[in-house]
Amino acid sequence: MHHFAYRNGVMHCEDVSLEAVARELGTPAYVYSDATLRRHYQVLADAFADRKTLIAFAVKANSNIGVLATLASVGAGADVVSGGELLRALEAGIPADRIVFSGVAKTEAEMRLGLSKGIFQFNVESLPELRRLSRIAEEMGKRAPIAFRVNPHVEAGGHAHISTGTPENKFGIAWHEAESFYEEASRLPNIEPVGVAVHIGSQIMRVEPMRAAWEKVVSLTRRLRDRGFNITRVDFGGGLGVPYKDGEDPDSPIIYARQVREALGNLDVQLVIEPGRLIAGNAGVLISRVEYVKERDGRTFVILDAGMNDLMRPALYAAHHEVLPVRTPEMGSARRAVDLVGPICESTDRFAKDRPMPPLKEGDLVAFMTAGAYGATLSSQYNSRPLVAEALVRGDACVVIRRRPTFEEMIALERAPDWIASG
Ligand code: LLP
């Protein structure tokens, strides 16, 4: 469910035409729907309304302050993996006590930041990390609430690059060592082991493998409690997929919620979930303009002004995004297989190969659908292209939530060495 639809032959985000956004912001630009973001959060919040649940939005999916502030306004927490993401979440109005700090390589500075702000929980991924956190908490005179992220040896995820729950992945602590790790944690006076966490991958279409991981977490939690540990929280991670093309039919948030409940049974704990894509994925599109149409060697290349630096997912994971013309094609116009490519000097700067598309010509606008998660956050300035702009729409209002930087801003941190001028 989302709020992008054609009206009078032009695709709109809520009540704003994407042509108008392109005129105002230029292209390429991400456009997000406030109503879609809030609705997705609300569906999950309603599904878990009867139990104490923290819905910690995975900031890596979309870290724009405007998006985070929107989610903060409806009560979302945040799952962060860096000091930068933590500061963004706070800046957007997400209270520290609703922020989970995940990630395999937390630095001392990041631990200090988290402790000084009083975050909800650190998800710890190794003994060296635990010991470092303990030392820093002691120096600061704080107690760090922690959950160990366990690696449940369950395989899932839309692509090998986004699967995290198997032994060869770097994530989490070994399943069979968990109990001894909790023993060690409980001996550290500045560490408070409060939870067990898991996250097995992303773009997972069926809840089953997740449920297998959750059941392991539940049984571990019971065993830990039997041994006297005061485990009051379980964190089931993120990972539920969204449809990127027709025919893809991931389990719904309702099925997800039902399976979470069944996995928890009568375990009396606070539930934490870390959805990213599910909330932001189809709340955003990337609009782009056709620069050239080039016919060569029997192929048609539709060359867009968006590149892999603006939307990395196809180059990184061979990910599929629907690409729709912003203006509906004339009735009866035939589709033709084309390659949709960007301006970057790399062969992987190709969004789609042999994709049947309606006629497209120079100047036409297209929209990459389902680009609200891991779109703008993965963008870069490769080829010295300015970072892509972002806009947020509510009803008939559209605000720029990240403007395109100027050339001066792009090079402001750089300088030529003095020895050049001094000869
Ligand atoms: N929690 C943790 C600890 C994570 O590592 C992730 C995602 C999430 C939650 C949120 O997962 P989600 O609900 O969004 O599936 N760039 C890739 C996805 C990488 C996901 C990394 N971790 C992509 O564009 O498909």
Side-chain angles (χ1 to χ4, degrees):
M1 164 64 193
H2 60 71
H3 296 78
F4 295 87
Y6 288 99
R7 274 195 215 163
N8 304 322
V10 179
M11 195 189 294
H12 281 59
C13 174
E14 303 191 23
D15 299 330
V16 175
S17 125
L18 294 187
E19 289 186 344
V21 181
R23 267 197 305 277
E24 192 175 318
L25 250 84
T27 50
Y30 281 92
V31 186
Y32 309 115
S33 156
D34 165 88
T36 312
L37 286 168
R38 286 188 296 122
R39 180 174 193 281
H40 288 169
Y41 176 83
Q42 207 51 54
V43 166
L44 282 171
D46 292 348
F48 292 111
D50 61 337
R51 71 155 43 244
K52 205 173 166 203
T53 303
L54 171 60
I55 302 173
F57 174 65
V59 171
K60 62 172 80 67
N62 193 314
S63 60
N64 188 292
I65 299 283
V67 169
L68 297 180
T70 302
L71 294 172
S73 74
V74 286
D79 166 57
V80 303
V81 291
S82 70
E85 285 191 355
L86 173 53
L87 291 171
R88 279 177 177 275
L90 292 168
E91 177 76 24
I94 297 177
D97 64 3
R98 298 177 71 74
I99 298 179
V100 176
F101 204 141
S102 301
V104 290
K106 298 174 198 79
T107 64
E108 290 198 11
E110 287 172 332
M111 289 175 173
R112 283 207 177 84
L113 181 65
L115 285 167
S116 69
K117 300 293 181 188
I119 62 167
F120 178 76
Q121 166 176 308
F122 290 87
N123 285 358
V124 172
E125 304 221 14
S126 67
L127 277 187
E129 182 191 340
L130 178 76
R131 293 174 188 142
R132 181 187 284 185
L133 184 59
S134 163
R135 176 170 54 76
I136 288 168
E138 191 184 340
E139 279 168 26
M140 295 175 70
K142 304 261 186 201
R143 280 198 99 200
I146 69 126
F148 278 110
R149 170 171 174 182
V150 293
N151 186 322
H153 299 185
V154 172
E155 190 155 3
H159 186 278
H161 293 177
I162 53 176
S163 168
T164 59
T166 63
E168 63 266 30
N169 298 128
K170 66 184 173 184
F171 300 102
I173 63 164
W175 180 247
H176 54 277
E177 288 173 336
E179 280 158 275
S180 69
F181 281 31
Y182 278 90
E183 292 284 358
E184 166 143 3
S186 67
R187 285 194 293 271
L188 299 170
N190 296 84
I191 295 288
E192 194 180 357
V194 291
V196 182
V198 77
H199 170 78
I200 60 168
S202 197
Q203 187 55 10
I204 302 171
M205 305 301 270
R206 296 286 159 249
V207 177
E208 257 157 51
M210 289 194 262
R211 175 159 176 172
W214 301 334
E215 281 172 353
K216 286 187 162 185
V217 166
V218 168
S219 69
L220 175 63
T221 304
R222 289 191 194 282
R223 285 202 302 281
L224 291 168
R225 282 185 167 183
D226 288 348
R227 292 170 69 154
F229 296 107
N230 189 21
I231 304 296
T232 54
R233 310 167 178 174
V234 296
D235 179 343
F236 280 176
L240 187 59
V242 301
Y244 281 94
K245 53 179 150 183
D246 279 353
E248 275 185 352
D249 183 25
D251 284 344
S252 70
I254 305 303
I255 293 177
Y256 171 86
R258 190 187 320 131
Q259 301 265 3
V260 167
R261 276 162 199 291
E262 285 176 18
L264 284 172
N266 61 1
L267 189 71
D268 171 30
V269 277
Q270 171 166 16
L271 173 67
V272 181
I273 54 172
E274 304 170 351
R277 193 187 317 260
L278 191 63
I279 290 180
N282 67 18
V285 302
L286 171 65
I287 49 177
S288 175
R289 205 176 277 284
V290 177
E291 287 287 356
Y292 296 100
V293 178
K294 163 163 146 176
E295 309 279 350
R296 206 215 52 216
D297 296 324
R299 306 197 72 80
T300 303
F301 297 95
V302 174
I303 306 174
L304 302 170
D305 68 359
M308 62 188 275
N309 68 303
D310 303 304
L311 178 64
M312 275 279 263
R313 303 192 66 257
L316 268 183
Y317 323 106
H320 178 102
H321 285 265
E322 287 296 336
V323 183
L324 299 177
V326 165
R327 203 165 259 279
T328 40
E330 277 167 29
M331 289 279 280
S333 50
R335 288 171 172 266
R336 213 153 62 90
V338 303
D339 290 358
L340 293 166
V341 301
I344 302 281
C345 301
E346 300 243 5
S347 298
T348 51
D349 186 30
R350 181 177 65 195
F351 298 111
K353 187 169 181 230
D354 292 324
R355 176 79 63 91
M357 292 292 294
L360 286 170
K361 59 179 189 321
E362 200 174 310
D364 285 353
L365 287 170
V366 294
F368 287 80
M369 307 307 290
T370 324
Y374 308 107
T377 47
L378 275 165
S379 65
S380 77
Q381 299 194 341
Y382 187 39
N383 281 197
S384 282
R385 291 161 50 78
L387 266 187
V388 58
E390 295 172 272
L392 181 62
V393 167
R394 172 184 273 191
D396 60 6
C398 176
V399 288
V400 179
I401 54 174
R402 184 168 79 192
R403 69 171 170 78
R404 225 178 291 282
T406 62
F407 173 70
E408 286 67 31
E409 286 167 331
M410 284 170 64
I411 60 161
L413 301 175
E414 301 168 31
R415 56 178 296 203
D418 293 341
W419 62 69
I420 302 285
S422 53

